[in-house]
């Protein structure tokens, strides 16, 4: 499996829902919403295959910490971004960071089911 499969599943989920396609631009104290017509999932890939096992885990932890610290520019980007990682022949975790303006606990449970189902289908 390549990292494109999980990223494709995430993109399919984003296509079905407006909230992860919604941008926000401050205008005279208001925060009008702009819904993008197409799904855009900003991502940067991380290839950890050349690292020893302990190094891969440490790199993934640093990667997640870096992504959580990166500011979200909701006027220019959707409220989520992804980092697909290659860790070996069978391991391709997809790290997803979502701004709290678009995602809460209920949203997590609703979106994780279709993503899990889609990911299982992508493996077949």
């Amino acid at each position: 499996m390549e990292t494109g499969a999980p990223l494709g599943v995430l993109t399919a989920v984003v296509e079905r829902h407006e909230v992860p396609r919604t941008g926000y631009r401050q205008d005279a104290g208001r925060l009008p919403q702009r819904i993008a017509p197409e799904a855009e999932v900003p991502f940067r890939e991380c290839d950890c295959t050349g690292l020893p096992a302990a190094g891969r885990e440490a790199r993934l932890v640093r990667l997640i910490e870096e992504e959580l610290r990166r500011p979200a520019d909701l006027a220019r980007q959707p409220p989520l971004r992804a980092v697909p990682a290659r860790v070996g022949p069978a391991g391709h975790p997809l790290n997803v960071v979502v701004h709290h303006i678009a995602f809460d606990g209920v949203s997590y449970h609703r979106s994780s089911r279709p993503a899990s189902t889609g990911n299982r289908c992508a493996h077949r």
Side-chain angles (χ1 to χ4, degrees):
M1 179 184 77
E2 283 296 312
T3 58
L7 193 57
V9 170
L10 178 61
T11 301
V13 171
V14 171
E15 284 174 354
R16 287 194 304 270
H17 302 280
E18 290 181 345
V19 172
R21 293 185 285 121
T22 302
Y24 305 86
R25 182 179 300 265
Q26 225 173 6
D27 182 26
R30 297 181 48 228
L31 200 60
Q33 300 176 355
R34 181 191 48 80
I35 301 170
E38 295 182 14
E40 175 194 345
V41 179
F43 71 95
R44 63 179 180 142
E45 281 189 311
C46 177
D47 188 350
C48 300
T49 56
L51 299 173
R56 285 191 297 259
E57 184 174 339
R59 176 64 184 120
L60 289 173
V61 168
R62 275 195 320 274
L63 180 69
I64 292 166
E65 290 171 350
E66 289 169 10
E67 282 300 313
L68 290 173
R69 279 193 219 100
R70 279 184 52 208
D73 184 351
L74 299 176
R76 297 174 193 217
Q77 299 177 310
L80 81 158
R81 59 185 180 261
V83 183
R86 285 187 178 94
V87 294
H92 299 298
L94 177 65
N95 301 293
V96 180
V97 177
V98 184
H99 192 279
H100 66 92
I101 198 168
F103 214 70
D104 60 11
V106 174
S107 302
Y108 170 78
H109 291 292
R110 286 186 179 158
S111 67
S112 63
R113 268 186 253 123
S116 297
T117 302
N119 199 24
R120 282 195 300 275
C121 291
H123 282 77
R124 295 180 186 170

